[in-house]
Amino acid sequence: MTDRRLIVIGASWGGLQAVGEILAGLPGDFAVPVLIVQHRAEDTGDLLAGLLDRRGPLPVREVEDKDTLAGAGVLVAPAGYHVLVEPDHLELSTEAHVRFSRPSIDVTLESAADALGAGVIGVVLTGANDDGAVGLAAVRRRGGFAIVQNPETALVATMPAAARSSAAPQAVAELSEIAPLLVQLADGEAPHAA
Amino acid sequence: MTEADHHDRELEELELELLLEAVYRRYGYDFRGYARASLRRRLWRRADLEGLRSLSGLQERVLHDPHCLERLLADLSINVTAMFRDPTFHQALRRDVFPELRTHPFVRVWVAGCSTGEEVMSIAIALHEEGMLDRSRIYATDMDADVLARARTGGFALEKVRDYTRNYLAAGGTDSFSGYYAVTGDQAVFDPDLLRTVVFAQHNLATDGSFNEFNLVICRNVLIYFGRDLQDRVLGLFDESLPRRGVLALGRKETLRGTAIEERYEPVVEAERIYRRS
Ligand SMILES: C[S@@+](CC[C@H](N)C(=O)[O-])C[C@H]1O[C@@H](n2cnc3c(N)ncnc32)[C@H](O)[C@@H]1O
């Protein structure tokens, strides 16, 4: 079993608020690297990392090409780039948009599942498209842990609903429950959520 | 489950390496040092489209069917580019690099991985507006002969011109952008004079050597496709091609930090990944 772990959080419409709430709930000594893939316009520079950095105790920065995963903290996929995962580092790519998105949540989740198997925790949040559904299913198939924000209470239901039906996630959670769940999973406890 | 996955990945890695080795030995295209995750994704996409269930299957087909190789090469090439891509980069180039270039009697620029030429055209326009184009020579290289052929035409899709105009203005363009091109069908064809001092040539960063000395080397959004070792090789190539105070410009998400040549360079504008050899 691999000891390398990675949390990938995918979000689209309404994501800034939702991701911010999760980061606000993670402690400053949270040790598992977190990679955020948030859809947004391509010319927004590193604005998002700056905004999220203020939401919680963990420092947030944009992914640099070939960033090492160990001790990476919280990383944000840069606007206009896909982020792919290798066992010990991250790669950037400007290959074609996948379902109109770059960064694409599917691309990151699929390659994370490929590289880290059961070490991956995938989270799909609010959004108005179905990016993340295929990727989260891959996470699940490779033995990882899949979490979907409850579509009924998400700002936009489409994306989490698609992920829920394609991935059969271990947890469908309220936004406020996600950070505590991640802390639990990071500590290696079996989660209680169903 | 986990054990099985682990095993599969090792086997897949082996198949992938054999496939790249085969493509290199048989056809001379060297992707062995490219960034793996992105390569793996694209190889699998080709395998799926060919109806094949493994990368060894793809290897067999590629070796026996040159048409399949062509399709594979098309999948592996990423040529996305734009005029004045990342306008703040072009602005910084003009503001913080051109003044020193101006002090040279002759300016040599290498645009490595120039793709279809949008970036070269942008640099040529900026040099023109600064009155330096006539005493400049731009070497624009790419490994891909097809993109070079398109670059030489100086024509770009008309539908992109609105975005390019906005970029041009944001990059600090001082003239009227529409004065640089004529519309022919669905193409905006740029003034051929702008490419007068440009030499387009095929050059492979993975296998070819340094070929000249330059005041400015621009290589943007190419290094991200390379693995760390190949990145080091290519940075070494740039290092050999730059004299003291020569400038190296990388893409928005590419950096010299943590590389072998880092200590010889100081940032000119770190945020824009513009460095100067000390
Ligand atoms: C994404 S484009 C970047 C274009 C332009 N520099 C820009 O930033 O807009 C990458 C280019 O690198 C070229 N390339 C990839 N591998 C190369 C190699 N080994 N040697 C030379 N060029 C290469 C590709 O053919 C492609 O045209």
Side-chain angles (χ1 to χ4, degrees), chain B residues 10 23-24 28 36 39 51 53 59 61 77 96 108 127 143 152 161 190 206 216 249 261:
Chain B
E10 265 173 20
V23 167
Y24 174 61
R36 275 303 156 81
L39 203 55
R53 302 218 322 270
Q59 175 184 323
R61 183 162 304 171
S77 65
D96 300 316
R108 278 200 187 80
L127 287 169
M143 69 168 182
R152 285 193 188 95
V161 163
F190 281 70
L216 170 62
I261 66 165

Side-chain angles (χ1 to χ4, degrees), chain A residues 99 106 109-110 130-139 141 162-163 166-167:
Chain A
R99 262 171 266 122
D106 279 341
L109 283 173
E110 280 182 327
D130 66 355
D131 194 15
V134 170
L136 199 67
V139 168
R141 212 167 41 241
S166 81

